[in-house]
Amino acid sequence: MSAQNIVTTLNERILTIRFNRPEKKNAITSAMYAQMADALLEAEASPEVRVVLFAGTADTFCSGNDMQDFLAASGSIHDAPVARFMRTLAVFTKPVVAAVNGPAVGIGTTLLLHCDLVYAGEGARLQLPFVSLGVCPEFCSSYLLPRIMGHVKAAELILLGEAIGAQKACELGLVNAVVPAAEVEALALQKAQRLAQQAPASLRVSKMLMKRFNDTALNASLTVELDYFGEMLRGPEIQEAVAAFMQKRKPDFSGFN
Ligand code: COA
């Protein structure tokens, strides 16, 4: 893995954070979370940055947490780079835009809940396979999804863990617009450019006003989800799920209680 698995570029006051590990479908390792958290902290402080844009590679947004990293993690998850990344993005004060093409799995989808504008290519597939992996929802998704779409639709995404297409994601309120895959990044960039021209303090105050009623609840859900997630990472169900993924077979949970 190289330092270039996350590529950041600053252009016209837009900081692009690009997942760039296509051989592993842009799965995120601890090192990549750390780089993204650092980039966000710098962006927060820098007057040169007015907007952040998340993007992936040609046919993949992000396949979520790296499976091997899942099990290799030691120490408290609350101190891990993934938690630092989540806490930084959840309270980021400047507008965040995402351009989603291909799979957006796990945190590849839950990070979108912390973006302000999300554009998807026609082939985008969003999926929250936490339960299928023997873990539980993270990054405030257990709190935000039922409020965005209602309990039964959120339960369908979280408990069944099946992928949904871009159009369904748009109908559910997770995505602003769906365009042909080849156009999604240009559209997201165009919206980011428009945001970068807006009055910056007004943008920050307006974003804060839209989110402030949820601040306490978001912080609480992020923490309690990580409590459970951290515990489940040491449990037997994820061992079976990751072994099954590596062996390219379906997990067998029939012997678990
Ligand atoms: N962690 C580690 N490696 C991953 C990965 C992940 N999250 N997602 C994909 N990869 C790897 C595969 O193991 C494979 O590696 P290999 O070529 O060494 O065998 C490579 O990326 C390509 O993946 P593959 O599954 O063959 O691509 P695909 O186009 O058929 O499917 C996905 C793409 C994203 C739908 C599929 O890889 C997937 O479901 N990944 C797991 C997603 C997941 O559960 N993430 C955790 C969420 S909490």
Side-chain angles (χ1 to χ4, degrees), residues 23-25 27 63-67 70 103 105-106 129-130 133 245 248:
E23 71 285 5
K24 292 290 177 191
K25 300 286 168 182
S63 65
N65 209 93
D66 184 283
M67 291 286 194
F70 252 156
V105 189
F130 301 118
L133 288 170
F245 179 75
K248 300 192 190 290

Side-chain angles (χ1 to χ4, degrees), residues 21-29 33 59-60 62-70 102-108 125 127-133 135-136 138 163 229 238 245-246 248:
R21 199 185 171 209
E23 71 285 5
K24 292 290 177 191
K25 300 286 168 182
N26 297 337
I28 314 178
T29 60
Y33 284 122
D59 64 355
T60 308
C62 170
S63 65
N65 209 93
D66 184 283
M67 291 286 194
Q68 270 144 340
D69 246 41
F70 252 156
V105 189
I107 197 165
R125 307 274 298 161
Q127 188 177 13
L128 300 169
F130 301 118
V131 171
S132 319
L133 288 170
V135 285
C136 64
E138 36 75 325
F229 201 101
I238 188 171
F245 179 75
M246 296 304 172
K248 300 192 190 290

Side-chain angles (χ1 to χ4, degrees), residues 101-114:
N101 253 339
V105 189
I107 197 165
T109 285
T110 58
L111 80 79
L112 302 178
L113 305 175
H114 300 272

